[in-house]
Amino acid sequence: MFGYIEEAKSNLLSFMEYSQSSAPLCELLGEIFLVEDKLSEALEAFQKAISLDENQHVALGYLSHLSGSKESFDRAIAAVEAKIAANPNHLDLINDYGKILMINEHHEEAAIQFKKALKANPNYLEAKLNLAICLAKVGKSEDAIEMLLGVENKNPRLFYTLGEIFYQSGRLYLAYKSYNKASTLYPSYPGLRPKLFELTGYLRKLDTVIDLHEKFVNTSPKFPDLHTKLANFYHLAGKSELAMTQFKKALAINPNYKEAKLKLDALQKDSIWRLAKQHLEGDSSDVTASTRSLKAVINFISGDDNTRFPEEAVLHIKNVGTSKTIQKALNATQLEAGSAELDLSPLGLLATQDILLFQIAEVKSGNVIRFAPHYLEKDEILAGRCDVDLDFDLNQESDGLVEHLTKYFLVHLDSKKLADLLATNGSGGYKAHLRNESNSLEAIGYINPENDSQINFVLNASTKSGIAAANPGDRMSIKVVDHKKDAVFSTDFTVTKSDVLNFYKTITAQESAKAKEAS
């Protein structure tokens, strides 16, 4: 029973027309009534199951839960332990043992039983869902979330369980996204509508607060407290990249601002947040956000930076994926203020995962003074604005240069036939994977928004300290697989120094027999 309640109930009642004296069917009906929050009907169904079979262990466990009867609990445990002793390899019985303990709030003991079942069968989904609930109850929410996000074929009940765990741990934006996923799969899931109604209202109010604080920041940009407050609200609203930008701005004004430093560090280390957003905001192969109207706010002098720029300097911006560029002279006012705002529309269509290269060069000599790559996040595309800290001084920095700069690396796979496979079957069929064998970074392929004959992969090492997305000499591999995970195309290649300096590499696919057959 993975969330499709009405269908399960309808099928169950059909079976019961022919077998009304089945204790297991009566017990299962009681569980459905519980999900529907019909407690009296559930109690009646469990009592009937026990009247038909006094050792119906799961019904006894639920009866103990609903009535508080220790006698029923003891009988449930004795019955299931006797059945396991007679059938020690029966995983459903081991799961039932854990369920009886779990519904009666013995979560640590229950987790032991679910882990036993999963050790024998790592794909036992019912045991995974139950174990996740227990882990969350004993303060191990992150372990529970990571386990559930790792399930390949997610169902309404799994998404609802994720929503409950996120909600209980205070991650309301991710709770909303989980409930929304459950609603997409099964809108009538019991208890789902009021949860979504509550969180939709909360996020709407949060947007209003964000609008107000954005005005405060724009009016008084030199107050670190305002940037930190705005960052907190961005984070609550699921706009984590914008939140990090505001924390960095607060620290640029006051490098000793402890609250901003701690929260930025926590956000950068929050792997669960990034993992959850990747799974809940759609497959990363689905580049749903794009725009032709994006503004960039470029900051090139921090609060404690005494750098003097030449009288004549020019700002260059390049989209790695399309090679389109913008060039704009910086005026005296911008150089003195240490920031500039630029319309990026001349770059054409910009999409999630695009890599933009920003640099400031001296006009007379052509020397590059400042340089930074920027990875476009969905939050920024939807907001119509990105903030870029162009604070890496090429004249002063040398240690870890490649690791600092090459945090993102784009690979183009040129193949009309493979791109067509992904476009036609990407949601439930063919998928493309890139892996850097040298550092284990991976990326999912997506169709280039401006070239439907090309599959793009973007390696992102922004959360990996001291690791570049790509180094000269790295070995990388590409696989395109079908729904059975069988490879229809594979290739590997070596990254050169020129590739790293350009932040991308293009691979032309040689079509395999399997790819021809698939197309």
PDB file of all heavy atoms in Angstrom, residues 219-252:
ATOM      1  N   THR A 219      17.843  50.075  -0.404  1.00  0.00           N
ATOM      2  CA  THR A 219      17.887  51.443   0.132  1.00  0.00           C
ATOM      3  C   THR A 219      19.104  51.654   1.023  1.00  0.00           C
ATOM      4  O   THR A 219      19.725  52.726   1.005  1.00  0.00           O
ATOM      5  CB  THR A 219      16.606  51.733   0.948  1.00  0.00           C
ATOM      6  OG1 THR A 219      15.466  51.483   0.123  1.00  0.00           O
ATOM      7  CG2 THR A 219      16.583  53.184   1.404  1.00  0.00           C
ATOM      8  N   SER A 220      19.476  50.615   1.795  1.00  0.00           N
ATOM      9  CA  SER A 220      20.593  50.732   2.746  1.00  0.00           C
ATOM     10  C   SER A 220      21.545  49.545   2.567  1.00  0.00           C
ATOM     11  O   SER A 220      21.608  48.642   3.411  1.00  0.00           O
ATOM     12  CB  SER A 220      20.061  50.773   4.182  1.00  0.00           C
ATOM     13  OG  SER A 220      19.090  51.774   4.348  1.00  0.00           O
ATOM     14  N   PRO A 221      22.315  49.521   1.469  1.00  0.00           N
ATOM     15  CA  PRO A 221      23.142  48.347   1.150  1.00  0.00           C
ATOM     16  C   PRO A 221      24.352  48.144   2.049  1.00  0.00           C
ATOM     17  O   PRO A 221      25.013  47.117   1.962  1.00  0.00           O
ATOM     18  CB  PRO A 221      23.578  48.619  -0.292  1.00  0.00           C
ATOM     19  CG  PRO A 221      23.531  50.101  -0.420  1.00  0.00           C
ATOM     20  CD  PRO A 221      22.408  50.566   0.443  1.00  0.00           C
ATOM     21  N   LYS A 222      24.673  49.108   2.921  1.00  0.00           N
ATOM     22  CA  LYS A 222      25.876  49.013   3.746  1.00  0.00           C
ATOM     23  C   LYS A 222      25.618  48.429   5.134  1.00  0.00           C
ATOM     24  O   LYS A 222      26.518  48.397   5.967  1.00  0.00           O
ATOM     25  CB  LYS A 222      26.519  50.404   3.901  1.00  0.00           C
ATOM     26  CG  LYS A 222      26.985  51.028   2.592  1.00  0.00           C
ATOM     27  CD  LYS A 222      28.094  50.198   1.939  1.00  0.00           C
ATOM     28  CE  LYS A 222      28.599  50.855   0.665  1.00  0.00           C
ATOM     29  NZ  LYS A 222      29.631  50.029   0.000  1.00  0.00           N
ATOM     30  N   PHE A 223      24.401  47.948   5.387  1.00  0.00           N
ATOM     31  CA  PHE A 223      24.074  47.388   6.699  1.00  0.00           C
ATOM     32  C   PHE A 223      24.111  45.852   6.621  1.00  0.00           C
ATOM     33  O   PHE A 223      23.233  45.239   5.994  1.00  0.00           O
ATOM     34  CB  PHE A 223      22.692  47.853   7.165  1.00  0.00           C
ATOM     35  CG  PHE A 223      22.652  49.304   7.555  1.00  0.00           C
ATOM     36  CD1 PHE A 223      22.367  50.286   6.623  1.00  0.00           C
ATOM     37  CD2 PHE A 223      22.920  49.684   8.869  1.00  0.00           C
ATOM     38  CE1 PHE A 223      22.336  51.624   6.977  1.00  0.00           C
ATOM     39  CE2 PHE A 223      22.891  51.020   9.239  1.00  0.00           C
ATOM     40  CZ  PHE A 223      22.607  51.996   8.296  1.00  0.00           C
ATOM     41  N   PRO A 224      25.093  45.227   7.269  1.00  0.00           N
ATOM     42  CA  PRO A 224      25.197  43.756   7.181  1.00  0.00           C
ATOM     43  C   PRO A 224      24.002  43.031   7.777  1.00  0.00           C
ATOM     44  O   PRO A 224      23.647  41.941   7.321  1.00  0.00           O
ATOM     45  CB  PRO A 224      26.487  43.449   7.951  1.00  0.00           C
ATOM     46  CG  PRO A 224      26.718  44.636   8.833  1.00  0.00           C
ATOM     47  CD  PRO A 224      26.171  45.805   8.095  1.00  0.00           C
ATOM     48  N   ASP A 225      23.365  43.620   8.802  1.00  0.00           N
ATOM     49  CA  ASP A 225      22.194  42.980   9.414  1.00  0.00           C
ATOM     50  C   ASP A 225      21.069  42.778   8.397  1.00  0.00           C
ATOM     51  O   ASP A 225      20.378  41.762   8.414  1.00  0.00           O
ATOM     52  CB  ASP A 225      21.663  43.820  10.576  1.00  0.00           C
ATOM     53  CG  ASP A 225      22.546  43.710  11.804  1.00  0.00           C
ATOM     54  OD1 ASP A 225      23.489  42.904  11.761  1.00  0.00           O
ATOM     55  OD2 ASP A 225      22.289  44.415  12.788  1.00  0.00           O
ATOM     56  N   LEU A 226      20.882  43.767   7.519  1.00  0.00           N
ATOM     57  CA  LEU A 226      19.817  43.680   6.524  1.00  0.00           C
ATOM     58  C   LEU A 226      20.099  42.558   5.525  1.00  0.00           C
ATOM     59  O   LEU A 226      19.201  41.812   5.130  1.00  0.00           O
ATOM     60  CB  LEU A 226      19.659  45.015   5.798  1.00  0.00           C
ATOM     61  CG  LEU A 226      19.116  46.177   6.640  1.00  0.00           C
ATOM     62  CD1 LEU A 226      19.055  47.447   5.809  1.00  0.00           C
ATOM     63  CD2 LEU A 226      17.731  45.841   7.193  1.00  0.00           C
ATOM     64  N   HIS A 227      21.361  42.441   5.110  1.00  0.00           N
ATOM     65  CA  HIS A 227      21.728  41.363   4.187  1.00  0.00           C
ATOM     66  C   HIS A 227      21.514  39.994   4.840  1.00  0.00           C
ATOM     67  O   HIS A 227      21.040  39.053   4.204  1.00  0.00           O
ATOM     68  CB  HIS A 227      23.195  41.508   3.757  1.00  0.00           C
ATOM     69  CG  HIS A 227      23.445  42.655   2.833  1.00  0.00           C
ATOM     70  ND1 HIS A 227      23.056  42.654   1.509  1.00  0.00           N
ATOM     71  CD2 HIS A 227      24.034  43.856   3.051  1.00  0.00           C
ATOM     72  CE1 HIS A 227      23.405  43.795   0.943  1.00  0.00           C
ATOM     73  NE2 HIS A 227      24.004  44.551   1.857  1.00  0.00           N
ATOM     74  N   THR A 228      21.855  39.896   6.125  1.00  0.00           N
ATOM     75  CA  THR A 228      21.708  38.624   6.831  1.00  0.00           C
ATOM     76  C   THR A 228      20.242  38.248   7.001  1.00  0.00           C
ATOM     77  O   THR A 228      19.848  37.084   6.823  1.00  0.00           O
ATOM     78  CB  THR A 228      22.401  38.693   8.207  1.00  0.00           C
ATOM     79  OG1 THR A 228      23.788  38.949   8.000  1.00  0.00           O
ATOM     80  CG2 THR A 228      22.262  37.382   8.971  1.00  0.00           C
ATOM     81  N   LYS A 229      19.407  39.228   7.330  1.00  0.00           N
ATOM     82  CA  LYS A 229      17.973  38.949   7.466  1.00  0.00           C
ATOM     83  C   LYS A 229      17.386  38.497   6.123  1.00  0.00           C
ATOM     84  O   LYS A 229      16.604  37.539   6.069  1.00  0.00           O
ATOM     85  CB  LYS A 229      17.245  40.186   7.976  1.00  0.00           C
ATOM     86  CG  LYS A 229      17.449  40.464   9.459  1.00  0.00           C
ATOM     87  CD  LYS A 229      16.647  41.672   9.912  1.00  0.00           C
ATOM     88  CE  LYS A 229      16.843  41.918  11.408  1.00  0.00           C
ATOM     89  NZ  LYS A 229      16.105  43.117  11.865  1.00  0.00           N
ATOM     90  N   LEU A 230      17.773  39.200   5.053  1.00  0.00           N
ATOM     91  CA  LEU A 230      17.275  38.818   3.728  1.00  0.00           C
ATOM     92  C   LEU A 230      17.745  37.409   3.370  1.00  0.00           C
ATOM     93  O   LEU A 230      16.983  36.601   2.822  1.00  0.00           O
ATOM     94  CB  LEU A 230      17.753  39.823   2.676  1.00  0.00           C
ATOM     95  CG  LEU A 230      17.315  39.554   1.228  1.00  0.00           C
ATOM     96  CD1 LEU A 230      15.797  39.458   1.121  1.00  0.00           C
ATOM     97  CD2 LEU A 230      17.846  40.636   0.294  1.00  0.00           C
ATOM     98  N   ALA A 231      19.003  37.083   3.719  1.00  0.00           N
ATOM     99  CA  ALA A 231      19.539  35.743   3.460  1.00  0.00           C
ATOM    100  C   ALA A 231      18.724  34.682   4.189  1.00  0.00           C
ATOM    101  O   ALA A 231      18.411  33.625   3.626  1.00  0.00           O
ATOM    102  CB  ALA A 231      21.002  35.676   3.892  1.00  0.00           C
ATOM    103  N   ASN A 232      18.373  34.955   5.438  1.00  0.00           N
ATOM    104  CA  ASN A 232      17.566  33.998   6.212  1.00  0.00           C
ATOM    105  C   ASN A 232      16.219  33.744   5.546  1.00  0.00           C
ATOM    106  O   ASN A 232      15.757  32.603   5.448  1.00  0.00           O
ATOM    107  CB  ASN A 232      17.348  34.521   7.633  1.00  0.00           C
ATOM    108  CG  ASN A 232      18.611  34.443   8.478  1.00  0.00           C
ATOM    109  OD1 ASN A 232      19.454  33.578   8.261  1.00  0.00           O
ATOM    110  ND2 ASN A 232      18.755  35.348   9.426  1.00  0.00           N
ATOM    111  N   PHE A 233      15.591  34.817   5.074  1.00  0.00           N
ATOM    112  CA  PHE A 233      14.281  34.669   4.422  1.00  0.00           C
ATOM    113  C   PHE A 233      14.410  33.940   3.084  1.00  0.00           C
ATOM    114  O   PHE A 233      13.561  33.112   2.728  1.00  0.00           O
ATOM    115  CB  PHE A 233      13.613  36.029   4.234  1.00  0.00           C
ATOM    116  CG  PHE A 233      13.152  36.656   5.523  1.00  0.00           C
ATOM    117  CD1 PHE A 233      13.529  37.945   5.864  1.00  0.00           C
ATOM    118  CD2 PHE A 233      12.360  35.956   6.411  1.00  0.00           C
ATOM    119  CE1 PHE A 233      13.106  38.525   7.053  1.00  0.00           C
ATOM    120  CE2 PHE A 233      11.930  36.516   7.600  1.00  0.00           C
ATOM    121  CZ  PHE A 233      12.306  37.810   7.924  1.00  0.00           C
ATOM    122  N   TYR A 234      15.476  34.243   2.324  1.00  0.00           N
ATOM    123  CA  TYR A 234      15.715  33.525   1.066  1.00  0.00           C
ATOM    124  C   TYR A 234      15.845  32.016   1.334  1.00  0.00           C
ATOM    125  O   TYR A 234      15.291  31.190   0.612  1.00  0.00           O
ATOM    126  CB  TYR A 234      17.004  34.017   0.409  1.00  0.00           C
ATOM    127  CG  TYR A 234      16.873  35.248  -0.452  1.00  0.00           C
ATOM    128  CD1 TYR A 234      17.910  36.181  -0.536  1.00  0.00           C
ATOM    129  CD2 TYR A 234      15.733  35.478  -1.223  1.00  0.00           C
ATOM    130  CE1 TYR A 234      17.811  37.308  -1.341  1.00  0.00           C
ATOM    131  CE2 TYR A 234      15.615  36.611  -2.026  1.00  0.00           C
ATOM    132  CZ  TYR A 234      16.663  37.519  -2.086  1.00  0.00           C
ATOM    133  OH  TYR A 234      16.563  38.627  -2.885  1.00  0.00           O
ATOM    134  N   HIS A 235      16.608  31.679   2.379  1.00  0.00           N
ATOM    135  CA  HIS A 235      16.828  30.265   2.694  1.00  0.00           C
ATOM    136  C   HIS A 235      15.511  29.575   3.059  1.00  0.00           C
ATOM    137  O   HIS A 235      15.240  28.455   2.603  1.00  0.00           O
ATOM    138  CB  HIS A 235      17.829  30.145   3.838  1.00  0.00           C
ATOM    139  CG  HIS A 235      18.171  28.722   4.188  1.00  0.00           C
ATOM    140  ND1 HIS A 235      18.490  27.782   3.232  1.00  0.00           N
ATOM    141  CD2 HIS A 235      18.234  28.071   5.372  1.00  0.00           C
ATOM    142  CE1 HIS A 235      18.744  26.622   3.813  1.00  0.00           C
ATOM    143  NE2 HIS A 235      18.580  26.761   5.109  1.00  0.00           N
ATOM    144  N   LEU A 236      14.689  30.232   3.857  1.00  0.00           N
ATOM    145  CA  LEU A 236      13.395  29.661   4.225  1.00  0.00           C
ATOM    146  C   LEU A 236      12.508  29.440   2.999  1.00  0.00           C
ATOM    147  O   LEU A 236      11.713  28.503   2.966  1.00  0.00           O
ATOM    148  CB  LEU A 236      12.675  30.581   5.218  1.00  0.00           C
ATOM    149  CG  LEU A 236      13.267  30.674   6.631  1.00  0.00           C
ATOM    150  CD1 LEU A 236      12.554  31.762   7.432  1.00  0.00           C
ATOM    151  CD2 LEU A 236      13.169  29.333   7.351  1.00  0.00           C
ATOM    152  N   ALA A 237      12.681  30.318   1.990  1.00  0.00           N
ATOM    153  CA  ALA A 237      11.854  30.227   0.781  1.00  0.00           C
ATOM    154  C   ALA A 237      12.457  29.303  -0.271  1.00  0.00           C
ATOM    155  O   ALA A 237      11.949  29.215  -1.388  1.00  0.00           O
ATOM    156  CB  ALA A 237      11.654  31.617   0.189  1.00  0.00           C
ATOM    157  N   GLY A 238      13.550  28.610   0.072  1.00  0.00           N
ATOM    158  CA  GLY A 238      14.150  27.663  -0.863  1.00  0.00           C
ATOM    159  C   GLY A 238      15.107  28.284  -1.856  1.00  0.00           C
ATOM    160  O   GLY A 238      15.567  27.619  -2.787  1.00  0.00           O
ATOM    161  N   LYS A 239      15.447  29.573  -1.666  1.00  0.00           N
ATOM    162  CA  LYS A 239      16.354  30.265  -2.601  1.00  0.00           C
ATOM    163  C   LYS A 239      17.761  30.274  -2.010  1.00  0.00           C
ATOM    164  O   LYS A 239      18.298  31.311  -1.621  1.00  0.00           O
ATOM    165  CB  LYS A 239      15.838  31.675  -2.869  1.00  0.00           C
ATOM    166  CG  LYS A 239      14.429  31.676  -3.456  1.00  0.00           C
ATOM    167  CD  LYS A 239      13.866  33.072  -3.602  1.00  0.00           C
ATOM    168  CE  LYS A 239      12.444  33.031  -4.168  1.00  0.00           C
ATOM    169  NZ  LYS A 239      11.848  34.374  -4.325  1.00  0.00           N
ATOM    170  N   SER A 240      18.362  29.087  -1.952  1.00  0.00           N
ATOM    171  CA  SER A 240      19.610  28.921  -1.211  1.00  0.00           C
ATOM    172  C   SER A 240      20.782  29.673  -1.827  1.00  0.00           C
ATOM    173  O   SER A 240      21.627  30.211  -1.108  1.00  0.00           O
ATOM    174  CB  SER A 240      19.948  27.432  -1.095  1.00  0.00           C
ATOM    175  OG  SER A 240      19.893  26.811  -2.357  1.00  0.00           O
ATOM    176  N   GLU A 241      20.852  29.731  -3.170  1.00  0.00           N
ATOM    177  CA  GLU A 241      21.967  30.442  -3.807  1.00  0.00           C
ATOM    178  C   GLU A 241      21.889  31.939  -3.519  1.00  0.00           C
ATOM    179  O   GLU A 241      22.906  32.588  -3.248  1.00  0.00           O
ATOM    180  CB  GLU A 241      21.961  30.189  -5.324  1.00  0.00           C
ATOM    181  CG  GLU A 241      22.233  28.751  -5.703  1.00  0.00           C
ATOM    182  CD  GLU A 241      23.592  28.273  -5.231  1.00  0.00           C
ATOM    183  OE1 GLU A 241      24.545  29.076  -5.253  1.00  0.00           O
ATOM    184  OE2 GLU A 241      23.702  27.108  -4.821  1.00  0.00           O
ATOM    185  N   LEU A 242      20.685  32.489  -3.563  1.00  0.00           N
ATOM    186  CA  LEU A 242      20.523  33.908  -3.235  1.00  0.00           C
ATOM    187  C   LEU A 242      20.849  34.153  -1.765  1.00  0.00           C
ATOM    188  O   LEU A 242      21.408  35.191  -1.405  1.00  0.00           O
ATOM    189  CB  LEU A 242      19.096  34.362  -3.547  1.00  0.00           C
ATOM    190  CG  LEU A 242      18.693  34.340  -5.029  1.00  0.00           C
ATOM    191  CD1 LEU A 242      17.238  34.781  -5.188  1.00  0.00           C
ATOM    192  CD2 LEU A 242      19.594  35.241  -5.849  1.00  0.00           C
ATOM    193  N   ALA A 243      20.510  33.190  -0.906  1.00  0.00           N
ATOM    194  CA  ALA A 243      20.823  33.312   0.521  1.00  0.00           C
ATOM    195  C   ALA A 243      22.334  33.383   0.732  1.00  0.00           C
ATOM    196  O   ALA A 243      22.831  34.233   1.483  1.00  0.00           O
ATOM    197  CB  ALA A 243      20.242  32.131   1.295  1.00  0.00           C
ATOM    198  N   MET A 244      23.080  32.499   0.061  1.00  0.00           N
ATOM    199  CA  MET A 244      24.538  32.500   0.209  1.00  0.00           C
ATOM    200  C   MET A 244      25.137  33.820  -0.270  1.00  0.00           C
ATOM    201  O   MET A 244      26.071  34.348   0.336  1.00  0.00           O
ATOM    202  CB  MET A 244      25.142  31.312  -0.547  1.00  0.00           C
ATOM    203  CG  MET A 244      24.945  29.992   0.177  1.00  0.00           C
ATOM    204  SD  MET A 244      25.924  28.629  -0.488  1.00  0.00           S
ATOM    205  CE  MET A 244      24.888  28.103  -1.827  1.00  0.00           C
ATOM    206  N   THR A 245      24.581  34.354  -1.356  1.00  0.00           N
ATOM    207  CA  THR A 245      25.076  35.637  -1.867  1.00  0.00           C
ATOM    208  C   THR A 245      24.899  36.738  -0.824  1.00  0.00           C
ATOM    209  O   THR A 245      25.808  37.557  -0.611  1.00  0.00           O
ATOM    210  CB  THR A 245      24.332  36.018  -3.153  1.00  0.00           C
ATOM    211  OG1 THR A 245      24.594  35.025  -4.146  1.00  0.00           O
ATOM    212  CG2 THR A 245      24.778  37.375  -3.672  1.00  0.00           C
ATOM    213  N   GLN A 246      23.756  36.779  -0.153  1.00  0.00           N
ATOM    214  CA  GLN A 246      23.507  37.821   0.850  1.00  0.00           C
ATOM    215  C   GLN A 246      24.384  37.641   2.089  1.00  0.00           C
ATOM    216  O   GLN A 246      24.855  38.612   2.669  1.00  0.00           O
ATOM    217  CB  GLN A 246      22.025  37.828   1.236  1.00  0.00           C
ATOM    218  CG  GLN A 246      21.088  38.288   0.131  1.00  0.00           C
ATOM    219  CD  GLN A 246      21.407  39.682  -0.369  1.00  0.00           C
ATOM    220  OE1 GLN A 246      21.703  40.587   0.410  1.00  0.00           O
ATOM    221  NE2 GLN A 246      21.354  39.875  -1.683  1.00  0.00           N
ATOM    222  N   PHE A 247      24.614  36.384   2.505  1.00  0.00           N
ATOM    223  CA  PHE A 247      25.534  36.151   3.630  1.00  0.00           C
ATOM    224  C   PHE A 247      26.938  36.652   3.268  1.00  0.00           C
ATOM    225  O   PHE A 247      27.632  37.256   4.093  1.00  0.00           O
ATOM    226  CB  PHE A 247      25.582  34.665   3.986  1.00  0.00           C
ATOM    227  CG  PHE A 247      24.398  34.172   4.778  1.00  0.00           C
ATOM    228  CD1 PHE A 247      23.747  33.000   4.420  1.00  0.00           C
ATOM    229  CD2 PHE A 247      23.941  34.875   5.889  1.00  0.00           C
ATOM    230  CE1 PHE A 247      22.660  32.538   5.150  1.00  0.00           C
ATOM    231  CE2 PHE A 247      22.845  34.416   6.618  1.00  0.00           C
ATOM    232  CZ  PHE A 247      22.214  33.253   6.252  1.00  0.00           C
ATOM    233  N   LYS A 248      27.365  36.392   2.033  1.00  0.00           N
ATOM    234  CA  LYS A 248      28.685  36.851   1.589  1.00  0.00           C
ATOM    235  C   LYS A 248      28.766  38.371   1.564  1.00  0.00           C
ATOM    236  O   LYS A 248      29.803  38.954   1.897  1.00  0.00           O
ATOM    237  CB  LYS A 248      28.989  36.281   0.192  1.00  0.00           C
ATOM    238  CG  LYS A 248      29.289  34.784   0.191  1.00  0.00           C
ATOM    239  CD  LYS A 248      29.500  34.268  -1.232  1.00  0.00           C
ATOM    240  CE  LYS A 248      29.755  32.764  -1.248  1.00  0.00           C
ATOM    241  NZ  LYS A 248      29.889  32.257  -2.638  1.00  0.00           N
ATOM    242  N   LYS A 249      27.672  39.011   1.176  1.00  0.00           N
ATOM    243  CA  LYS A 249      27.661  40.486   1.166  1.00  0.00           C
ATOM    244  C   LYS A 249      27.773  41.039   2.582  1.00  0.00           C
ATOM    245  O   LYS A 249      28.472  42.031   2.817  1.00  0.00           O
ATOM    246  CB  LYS A 249      26.383  40.985   0.494  1.00  0.00           C
ATOM    247  CG  LYS A 249      26.383  40.828  -1.014  1.00  0.00           C
ATOM    248  CD  LYS A 249      25.202  41.537  -1.644  1.00  0.00           C
ATOM    249  CE  LYS A 249      25.298  41.485  -3.158  1.00  0.00           C
ATOM    250  NZ  LYS A 249      24.225  42.223  -3.818  1.00  0.00           N
ATOM    251  N   ALA A 250      27.079  40.392   3.529  1.00  0.00           N
ATOM    252  CA  ALA A 250      27.175  40.830   4.928  1.00  0.00           C
ATOM    253  C   ALA A 250      28.614  40.699   5.429  1.00  0.00           C
ATOM    254  O   ALA A 250      29.129  41.591   6.125  1.00  0.00           O
ATOM    255  CB  ALA A 250      26.232  40.005   5.794  1.00  0.00           C
ATOM    256  N   LEU A 251      29.280  39.612   5.047  1.00  0.00           N
ATOM    257  CA  LEU A 251      30.663  39.387   5.481  1.00  0.00           C
ATOM    258  C   LEU A 251      31.640  40.306   4.758  1.00  0.00           C
ATOM    259  O   LEU A 251      32.700  40.644   5.304  1.00  0.00           O
ATOM    260  CB  LEU A 251      31.045  37.924   5.252  1.00  0.00           C
ATOM    261  CG  LEU A 251      30.372  36.931   6.203  1.00  0.00           C
ATOM    262  CD1 LEU A 251      30.584  35.497   5.727  1.00  0.00           C
ATOM    263  CD2 LEU A 251      30.908  37.094   7.620  1.00  0.00           C
ATOM    264  N   ALA A 252      31.314  40.710   3.536  1.00  0.00           N
ATOM    265  CA  ALA A 252      32.168  41.670   2.831  1.00  0.00           C
ATOM    266  C   ALA A 252      32.157  43.024   3.542  1.00  0.00           C
ATOM    267  O   ALA A 252      33.168  43.717   3.615  1.00  0.00           O
ATOM    268  CB  ALA A 252      31.697  41.825   1.385  1.00  0.00           C
TER     269      ALA A 252
END
